[in-house]
């Protein structure tokens, strides 16, 4: 009959208690961290996946940040374009008045002065700088003053594009050559300048001739607003795409490397019970051994 | 017929036999918890007719095949334990999943590029990008250094363990001689034999050991047939620096066997596996990752233009080769502390730079999703994921193998215990037997003494 020695009992008992301790420690760590996979060896495939998931999640954060910055820029540009439209509306009013024979030279001189102010407003807007000192409407030549008083454009036609969503990029601004002096279109500053000159010269015919150009310039600015609006729609659409993808990625991450609180605590309770049982059993066995020897 | 005097002799031999039996039983009880102790069983026989009882022999409870099994399982268990332990810092160095991991550092670089694409003229953003690039360089350097240092530390541990193993080899050889002397003189050598078995077990734990018994003498071999003890003669293993790596090879002097470390088991086998395989593989993967990262970013960056219209500038000092790329990775001195030198544009000249041009910054961002690693089959994040999976898989397997080996070792120890161990309750019962027999024999002697006294008074 195989013999059971005391050393065998001690070895087996110690092994059971140590195994129970180890499982309890592992269950405690999972419950505390909420992670099923806290190191690569816990589940190498899930760990590998988590590297990619974390990279994608951080990409989405960056895209959102870029989208927020772009949106702020669009808001500013939209305000600028509205201001320019208001200026052109007032310029048209002054041109209509100025072409009316009932006004005299003195009236037209006053109108010319106001148009000069409108011109300065548009010039300031066209040459606006951001907080970094970049000229917003210069294209890539952000250190170059885009417009002179005559509306001659010194920037370029390039625009920045940034990624605001998965595989979705938008332009961050619109160049001055699409607003204030469009090739084949209208030179807004030149129109205001010549209107000012015509009013100052008391030339009603010349003033009247500016009306169509002002109308065309207003339409040109509206067109620029449409372009901005389209980009804004894309940014909004990207927000929805980002949110959906983020939810999907976080769900995947949760199922692969995280552990839900109920599951973690359930495992912890189980491990605690198993450990207590091992301790109790070990204590009972050792007590029995001791009693047996004492009786003998 | 022996007569009364003969009866006294019977009583005397009986007392001695039962005293010796109690002494042997007491020794068993006292040594019950000593690891590797082999129980001794007194074999009593009755002598010639009317000669009483005697202890014919004291049998040492041991079976060679059980001892060899324990040595084998011990070696395997220690090998897996040593490897598992060393893989923990290795995993932390290159496969950390947390916020301080290499993945986070890499992602921060691309986040920096993304910020630069949205604000290419912002010097604060550019400085932040430089900071993140330096973090990446430092992280990769530190990981490579950690691997290098760990390899050196393991090498030192191997040297220390080899010295300890040679000590055990000497002990076994000496004990072979001592046991031979004692047994030749006809005396028992159980204590010496237990000492020798403990030395063999320790040697097995360190480097693995196989024992063949020839006429009571142990011939000990390691690493599949390399004899290190034959009778009273030890053959010590020695260290010899590898001419290429500078790490220590283990050799048997005065032989042409060459480096032996890959043939050893025990803790040494685990350490050698980590030093020569696991760390080397991790170093190679890290070097490849560093090389691919530097090359890919350099290629895109050099094609771009900085704020001063300069082109052709690398971000990293171009690595000469894959090997050593991780430890040697450095930022190009031209861009350190010079945020203007980051090439965010794809056009411009020195006379007319394009500060608003972000196209090259966009191209740098796009690198993160391009297959520029793994021979053109992986993105940089995927390459990093492969490293994580590889190292994590090695550790997981080592842990699993250790658990299995530990279970088999426990079984082997239990089997040996069944044959050689001490059951205290059984020994207590034997003790009671000897005590009772001794008391009865003493009573017998007392009766014979009374009978003799009666005769003498006649």
């Amino acid at each position: 009959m195989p013999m059971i020695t005391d050393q065998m009992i001690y070895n087996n008992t110690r092994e059971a208690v140590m195994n129970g301790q180890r499982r309890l420690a592992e269950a405690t760590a999972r419950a505390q961290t909420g992670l099923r996979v806290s190191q690569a060896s816990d589940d190498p495939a899930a760990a590998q996946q988590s590297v990619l998931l974390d990279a994608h999640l951080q990409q989405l954060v960056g895209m959102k940040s870029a989208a927020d910055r772009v949106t702020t820029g669009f808001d500013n540009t939209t305000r600028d374009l509205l201001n320019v439209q208001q200026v052109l509306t007032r310029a048209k009013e002054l041109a209509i008045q100025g072409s009316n024979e009932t006004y005299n030279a003195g009236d037209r001189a006053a109108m010319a002065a106001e148009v000069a102010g409108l011109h300065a407003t548009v010039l300031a807007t066209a040459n606006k700088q951001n907080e970094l000192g970049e000229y917003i409407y210069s294209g890539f030549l952000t250190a170059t003053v885009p417009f002179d008083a005559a509306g001659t454009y010194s920037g370029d036609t390039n625009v920045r594009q940034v990624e605001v969503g998965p595989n979705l990029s938008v332009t961050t601004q619109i160049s001055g050559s699409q607003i204030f002096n469009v090739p084949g279109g209208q030179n807004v500053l030149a129109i205001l300048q010549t209107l000012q000159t015509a009013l100052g010269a008391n030339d009603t015919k010349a003033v009247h001739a500016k009306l169509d150009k002002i109308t065309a310039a207003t339409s040109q600015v509206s067109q620029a607003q449409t372009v901005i609006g389209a980009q804004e729609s894309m940014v909004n659409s990207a927000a929805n795409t980002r949110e959906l993808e983020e939810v999907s990625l976080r769900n995947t991450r949760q199922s692969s490397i995280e552990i839900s609180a109920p599951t973690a605590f359930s495992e912890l309770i189980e491990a605690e019970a198993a450990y207590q049982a091992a301790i109790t059993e070990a204590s009972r066995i050792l007590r029995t051994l001791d009693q047996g020897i004492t009786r003998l | 017929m022996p007569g009364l005097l003969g009866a006294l002799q019977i009583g005397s031999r009986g007392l001695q036999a039962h005293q010796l039996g109690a002494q042997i039983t007491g020794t068993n009880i006292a040594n019950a918890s000593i690891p590797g102790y082999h129980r001794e069983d007194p074999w009593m026989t009755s002598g010639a007719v009317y000669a009483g009882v005697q202890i014919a022999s004291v049998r040492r409870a041991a079976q060679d095949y059980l001892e060899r099994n324990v040595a084998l399982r011990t070696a395997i268990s220690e090998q897996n334990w040593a490897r598992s332990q060393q893989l923990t810092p290795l995993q932390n160095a290159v496969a950390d999943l947390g916020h301080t991991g290499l993945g986070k550092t890499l992602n921060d670089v691309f986040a920096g590029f993304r910020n630069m694409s949205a604000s290419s003229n912002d010097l604060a953003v550019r400085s932040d990008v430089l900071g993140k690039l330096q973090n990446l360089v430092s992280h990769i350097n530190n990981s490579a250094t950690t691997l290098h240092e760990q390899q050196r530390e393991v090498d030192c541990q191997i040297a220390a363990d080899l010295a300890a193993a040679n000590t055990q080899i000497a002990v076994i050889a000496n004990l072979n001689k001592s046991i031979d002397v004692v047994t030749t003189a006809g005396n028992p050598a159980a204590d010496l034999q237990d000492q020798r078995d403990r030395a063999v077990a320790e040697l097995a734990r360190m480097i693995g050991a196989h024992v063949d018994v020839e006429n009571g003498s142990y011939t000990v071999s390691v690493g599949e047939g390399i004899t290190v003890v034959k009778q009273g003669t030890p053959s010590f293993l020695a260290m010899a620096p590898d001419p290429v790596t500078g790490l220590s090879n283990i050799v048997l002097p005065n032989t042409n066997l060459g480096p032996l470390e890959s043939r050893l088991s025990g803790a040494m086998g685990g350490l050698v596996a980590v030093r020569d395989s696991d760390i080397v593989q991790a170093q190679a993967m890290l070097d490849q990752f560093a090389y691919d990262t530097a090359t890919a970013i350099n290629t895109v960056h050099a094609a771009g233009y900085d704020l001063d219209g300069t082109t052709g500038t690398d971000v990293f000092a171009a690595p000469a080769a894959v090997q050593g790329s991780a430890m040697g990775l450095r930022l190009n001195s031209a861009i350190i502390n010079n945020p203007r030198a980051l090439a965010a544009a794809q056009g411009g000249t020195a006379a007319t730079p394009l500060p608003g041009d972000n196209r090259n910054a966009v191209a740098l961002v796009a690198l993160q999703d391009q297959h520029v690693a793994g021979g053109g089959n992986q993105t940089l994040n995927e390459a990093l994921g492969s490293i994580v999976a590889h190292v994590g898989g090695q550790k997981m397997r080592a842990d699993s193998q250790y658990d299995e080996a530990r279970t088999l070792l426990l079984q082997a120890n239990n089997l040996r215990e069944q044959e050689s161990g001490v059951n205290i309750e059984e020994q207590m019962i034997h003790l009671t037997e000897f005590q009772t027999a001794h008391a009865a024999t003493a009573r017998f002697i007392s009766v014979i003494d009374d009978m003799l006294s009666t005769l003498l008074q006649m």
Side-chain angles (χ1 to χ4, degrees), chain A residues 3 6-7, chain B residues 20-34 37-42 58-61 190-191 194 420-428 430-431 434:
Chain A
M3 183 175 64
D6 298 75
Q7 197 63 43
Chain B
L20 183 58
Q23 181 182 332
I24 292 169
T25 304
T27 302
N28 285 339
I29 293 170
N31 289 291
S33 63
I34 303 299
Y37 175 76
H38 293 76
R39 188 185 71 250
E40 293 183 56
D41 298 324
V58 179
R59 177 181 159 266
R60 181 170 175 264
D191 281 349
D194 280 353
S420 310
V422 175
N423 181 308
I424 290 184
E425 286 162 326
E426 181 193 49
Q427 297 299 310
M428 294 297 288
H430 287 329
L431 193 61
F434 290 127

Side-chain angles (χ1 to χ4, degrees), chain A residues 16-17 20-21 23-24 268-280:
Chain A
V17 169
Q21 261 182 351
R23 287 195 194 103
L24 179 59
L268 179 59
I269 291 168
E270 206 176 296
E272 277 177 341
Y275 178 59
Q276 284 302 324
I279 293 284
T280 304

Side-chain angles (χ1 to χ4, degrees), chain A residues 39-41, chain B residues 82-97 101-102 139-140 142-154 270-286 384 386-398:
Chain A
Q39 53 190 357
S41 54
Chain B
R83 185 160 179 250
S84 172
Q85 287 295 97
Q86 288 295 331
L87 283 173
T88 297
L90 194 156
Q91 178 174 247
N92 291 341
V94 298
D96 184 2
L97 299 179
L102 186 51
H139 198 131
I140 292 175
N142 289 341
S143 296
T145 301
T146 299
L147 292 179
H148 177 79
E149 288 305 311
Q150 186 183 6
Q151 192 179 48
R152 290 294 181 268
E153 283 169 11
V154 170
L271 292 175
V272 168
V274 169
R275 186 194 71 177
D276 295 346
S277 178
D278 297 330
I279 291 179
V280 170
Q281 286 175 9
Q283 281 175 329
M285 294 179 85
L286 188 64
L384 201 54
S386 292
I387 296 175
V388 166
H390 176 79
V391 174
Q394 284 179 319
K395 174 82 167 87
M396 185 182 74
R397 278 188 296 279

Side-chain angles (χ1 to χ4, degrees), chain A residues 2-8 11-12 15 18 22 37-42 44 47-48 50-52 54-56 58-59 62-63 65-66 69 132 134 139-143 156 158 160-163 288-289 292-293 296, chain B residues 32-33 39 91 95 97 104 107-108 111 114-115 117-122 352-359 362 368-369 381-382 385-386 388-389 392-393 395-396 403 406 410 414 417-418 421-426 428:
Chain A
M3 183 175 64
I4 304 296
T5 69
D6 298 75
Q7 197 63 43
M8 285 169 67
N11 288 344
N12 292 343
E15 197 70 14
M18 284 172 59
R22 192 186 64 188
V37 180
S38 60
Q39 53 190 357
S41 54
D42 291 339
Q48 182 178 22
S50 79
V51 169
L52 303 177
D54 288 345
H56 288 147
Q58 192 163 354
Q59 282 179 320
M63 290 173 194
S65 174
R69 199 172 309 180
L132 296 174
E134 295 178 302
F140 282 167
L141 291 168
T142 56
D156 64 23
N158 293 304
R160 275 184 200 156
Q161 295 225 325
V162 294
E163 194 179 27
T288 304
L289 277 177
I293 293 166
L296 288 169
Chain B
S33 63
R39 188 185 71 250
Q91 178 174 247
L97 299 179
K104 177 68 167 65
N107 293 339
D108 283 347
R114 190 179 294 279
N115 287 341
S117 75
S119 193
S120 56
N121 200 19
D122 190 335
T352 314
L354 299 177
D357 185 353
N358 73 333
R359 289 174 294 180
V362 171
Q368 192 174 18
D369 293 327
N381 286 107
E382 285 169 351
S386 292
V388 166
K395 174 82 167 87
M396 185 182 74
D403 285 343
R406 189 175 171 80
L410 183 64
N414 284 345
E417 274 293 310
Q418 282 183 357
V422 175
N423 181 308
I424 290 184
E425 286 162 326
E426 181 193 49
M428 294 297 288

Side-chain angles (χ1 to χ4, degrees), chain B residues 123-143:
Chain B
L123 291 181
V125 167
R126 284 167 168 265
S127 293
D128 183 63
V129 172
L130 285 182
K132 289 184 162 72
L133 285 166
Q134 185 57 61
N135 284 347
L136 179 65
V137 167
S138 297
H139 198 131
I140 292 175
N141 289 160
N142 289 341
S143 296

Side-chain angles (χ1 to χ4, degrees), chain B residues 151-416:
Chain B
Q151 192 179 48
R152 290 294 181 268
E153 283 169 11
V154 170
D155 193 54
C156 289
Q157 185 65 47
I158 288 171
D161 286 358
L162 187 66
N166 279 335
T167 300
Q168 295 304 318
I169 288 170
V171 166
I172 294 168
N174 284 337
L175 284 168
N176 269 348
K177 280 193 276 195
S178 300
I179 290 168
D180 184 49
V181 167
V182 169
T183 53
T184 300
N187 295 320
D191 281 349
L192 294 174
Q193 288 168 332
D194 280 353
Q195 284 181 42
R196 185 174 59 181
D197 282 339
R198 279 196 290 277
V200 169
E202 184 63 11
L203 187 66
R205 190 190 68 76
M206 291 180 191
I207 63 174
H210 176 81
V211 174
D212 290 309
V213 184
E214 296 176 51
N215 299 320
S217 179
Y218 278 10
T219 298
V220 180
S221 60
V222 300
E224 300 159 18
I226 305 164
T227 302
V228 292
V229 176
K230 190 163 179 70
Q231 294 182 336
T233 305
S235 296
F236 299 115
L237 299 169
M239 308 290 287
D242 187 282
V244 175
T245 65
L247 299 172
S248 300
N249 291 333
I250 296 175
V251 298
L252 190 62
N254 303 317
T255 68
N256 58 356
L257 289 174
L260 304 171
E261 58 271 11
S262 62
R263 295 165 63 171
L264 301 176
S265 60
M268 181 80 69
L271 292 175
V272 168
V274 169
R275 186 194 71 177
D276 295 346
S277 178
D278 297 330
I279 291 179
V280 170
Q281 286 175 9
Q283 281 175 329
M285 294 179 85
L286 188 64
D287 278 342
Q288 187 66 60
F289 172 77
Y291 183 86
D292 290 341
T293 300
T295 303
I297 291 178
N298 277 354
T299 300
V300 174
H301 191 271
Y305 294 76
D306 66 12
L307 286 179
D308 298 315
T310 304
T311 186
T313 306
D314 285 340
V315 170
F316 303 99
V322 173
Q323 188 173 7
S325 288
M327 200 175 295
L329 190 66
R330 300 285 185 276
L331 285 183
N332 185 353
S333 57
I335 71 163
I336 293 176
N337 299 322
N338 186 9
R340 294 183 65 84
L342 286 172
Q346 284 186 346
T349 63
T352 314
L354 299 177
D357 185 353
N358 73 333
R359 289 174 294 180
N360 211 45
V362 171
L364 286 167
V365 172
L367 259 184
Q368 192 174 18
D369 293 327
Q370 291 173 2
H371 289 172
V372 295
N377 296 316
Q378 291 181 312
T379 66
L380 291 174
N381 286 107
E382 285 169 351
L384 201 54
S386 292
I387 296 175
V388 166
H390 176 79
V391 174
Q394 284 179 319
K395 174 82 167 87
M396 185 182 74
R397 278 188 296 279
D399 289 346
S400 173
Q401 285 166 357
Y402 172 66
D403 285 343
E404 184 185 331
R406 189 175 171 80
T407 301
L408 291 174
L409 175 59
L410 183 64
Q411 290 174 3
N413 274 323
N414 284 345
L415 284 173
R416 187 181 64 178

